[in-house]
Amino acid sequence: MERELQNYSHKRLNILTGEWVLVSPHRSKRPWQGQNEKISKEVRPSHDENCFLCAGNLRINGEKNPDYKDVFVFTNDFAALQKESKDFKLDNGLFQAQSETGVCKVICFSPDHSKSLADMEVTDIAKVVKVWQNEYLKLGANDTINYVQIFENKGAVMGCSNPHPHGQIWSHSTLSNEVYKKDKHQKEYFVKNETSLLGDYLAQEIKAAERIIYQNDAFVVLTPFWAVCPFETMILPKRDQSNITTMSSEESMAFADAISAITKAYDKLFECSFPYSSGIHQAPTNGQPNDYWHWHMSFYPPLLRSATVKKFMVGYEMFGTPQRDITAELAAQRLKELI
């Protein structure tokens, strides 16, 4: 079966969403004559007086950032969700709409403008993890907040408007599309099998040992069997945990170590500051036990075969099914060799 998966077109099932991805390994060597991205070679200073996120600088709304020394959190000046919004619902035949409220925050990972997570010490990444945990609890305690989405867009190619190392949190009153699908499939599996979907999946991945990139005492970094992005990865806790606040202090440090390992490998892959979107999917904050959830962090990098060639989600993928050329196994092996 391994030979077939590496040489012939086939589909793979994403067990978390119920959706399929088309894999076309025979296309991995096709010539590229499309757009080439420009990779910035700029060496950034540790402090940029024109940066809205640097310590001591004025933000666009006129507020002054404190002289922060590690992690700094503030409410997004251009939040996509409004905390105070009129409650309404439109139910007019096929015209359906409803109000959505929430709180959006920005998290500056470091006061050093020149760094990314890949450049930070594990102990400093652990401070970011601690803030993620605190914000999940704080925001989730609000009765109007039912989900807390933690994410980062790194690099201009991912639409990041400010190069200062930072991420965001969007907390909102309902479940987003991706979370809704993952919630549904994990719950259905748990009801049927009385075990965790991702817990069982991880056990099978460890046994197969084909897509594992890195692991420590508490976490595994792997390329999912159903990965869509060429070098997509996932960080999974070895112990069943519904959200990031259930980690012990040792596990939090191990999580920071896993983040450090994969982001450093990414930067080595094409010898550039590797762009990606990353995010943590975890249990809703709806007051329910949500014991069937197994939280995880995913990295979706857009680069296809070099620092300048981007994977575009267009054509068939927009109208049909996501598709990839390089198999998950080959991608995992390349990343594993860099750690």
Side-chain angles (χ1 to χ4, degrees):
M1 184 57 66
E2 176 64 21
R3 181 176 180 275
E4 283 81 357
L5 290 177
Q6 299 305 319
N7 291 282
Y8 300 100
S9 60
H10 61 278
K11 295 195 300 183
R12 299 190 185 194
L13 178 66
N14 184 330
I15 58 174
L16 283 169
T17 65
E19 298 169 345
W20 293 85
V21 55
L22 175 63
V23 184
S24 312
H26 56 288
R27 279 166 49 97
S28 60
K29 295 182 180 180
R30 66 191 176 105
W32 179 261
Q33 292 181 305
Q35 176 176 323
N36 286 284
E37 302 295 326
K38 291 183 178 180
I39 297 299
S40 175
K41 299 296 184 180
E42 175 190 11
V43 178
R44 300 200 307 270
S46 59
H47 184 275
D48 185 345
E49 61 182 13
N50 297 312
C51 173
F52 295 123
L53 300 182
C54 276
N57 287 2
L58 289 179
R59 295 207 305 278
I60 192 67
N61 68 350
E63 290 186 30
K64 186 176 182 179
N65 295 328
D67 187 22
Y68 62 96
K69 301 302 180 184
D70 38 57
V71 188
F72 170 49
V73 186
F74 63 91
T75 300
N76 197 321
D77 299 324
F78 298 96
L81 293 160
Q82 298 167 304
K83 184 178 180 181
E84 304 295 337
S85 181
K86 183 178 179 180
D87 185 24
F88 64 89
K89 186 174 183 178
L90 173 65
D91 187 1
N92 180 14
L94 297 179
F95 299 153
Q96 300 287 321
Q98 66 182 62
S99 57
E100 179 79 2
T101 59
V103 177
C104 297
K105 293 191 174 185
V106 175
I107 300 180
C108 295
F109 299 152
S110 167
D112 193 328
H113 184 80
S114 68
K115 291 185 175 182
S116 68
L117 287 174
D119 304 311
M120 293 168 58
E121 298 293 332
V122 172
T123 51
D124 291 325
I125 297 176
K127 294 177 183 177
V128 176
V129 172
K130 184 64 176 178
V131 171
W132 286 342
Q133 293 173 314
N134 291 340
E135 291 297 324
Y136 176 84
L137 289 173
K138 186 188 304 181
L139 293 167
N142 188 323
D143 290 340
T144 64
I145 298 298
N146 285 296
Y147 193 74
V148 178
Q149 181 61 66
I150 298 167
F151 67 98
E152 177 196 4
N153 293 321
K154 181 193 173 192
V157 71
M158 299 307 297
C160 183
S161 60
N162 190 310
H164 193 98
H166 73 284
Q168 299 185 57
I169 299 179
W170 290 15
S171 60
H172 37 101
S173 52
T174 61
L175 302 188
S176 62
N177 295 343
E178 288 301 301
V179 176
Y180 175 81
K181 287 182 283 188
K182 290 188 176 185
D183 184 78
K184 176 177 181 289
H185 284 88
Q186 287 187 92
K187 187 174 184 178
E188 287 177 349
Y189 186 91
F190 187 82
V191 169
K192 180 180 179 180
N193 300 283
E194 297 185 349
T195 54
S196 158
L197 172 63
L198 283 182
D200 289 353
Y201 166 72
L202 182 56
Q204 189 171 341
E205 282 285 20
I206 291 174
K207 184 177 180 179
E210 293 176 322
R211 287 165 294 274
I212 292 177
I213 299 164
Y214 177 78
Q215 62 179 310
N216 54 35
D217 289 342
F219 287 87
V220 172
V221 183
L222 54 80
T223 298
F225 181 76
W226 56 83
V228 171
C229 296
F231 292 96
E232 177 180 332
T233 59
M234 178 185 287
I235 301 178
L236 280 163
K238 292 182 176 179
R239 183 170 65 87
D240 284 347
Q241 302 174 37
S242 62
N243 65 72
I244 59 174
T245 68
T246 57
M247 287 187 288
S248 66
S249 58
E250 291 79 14
E251 287 172 327
S252 294
M253 190 63 72
F255 180 35
D257 171 66
I259 293 173
S260 177
I262 189 56
T263 53
K264 280 180 168 59
Y266 276 150
D267 281 7
K268 292 178 183 177
L269 182 62
F270 295 136
E271 297 183 352
C272 69
S273 185
F274 204 79
Y276 58 74
S277 279
S278 67
I280 298 173
H281 276 159
Q282 54 191 321
T285 57
N286 54 9
Q288 302 301 312
N290 299 312
D291 294 336
Y292 51 89
W293 260 89
H294 191 125
W295 74 268
H296 49 284
M297 183 176 191
S298 297
F299 289 81
Y300 301 144
L303 299 185
L304 178 59
R305 60 181 71 182
S306 74
T308 60
V309 178
K310 177 184 176 183
K311 163 71 173 178
F312 288 93
M313 299 287 283
V314 294
Y316 178 81
E317 293 175 294
M318 294 182 73
F319 295 97
T321 301
Q323 180 269 341
R324 62 179 287 135
D325 295 347
I326 181 174
T327 63
E329 294 75 31
L330 290 176
Q333 183 60 37
R334 288 188 64 181
L335 289 168
K336 183 178 180 180
E337 290 170 354
L338 297 171
I339 296 180

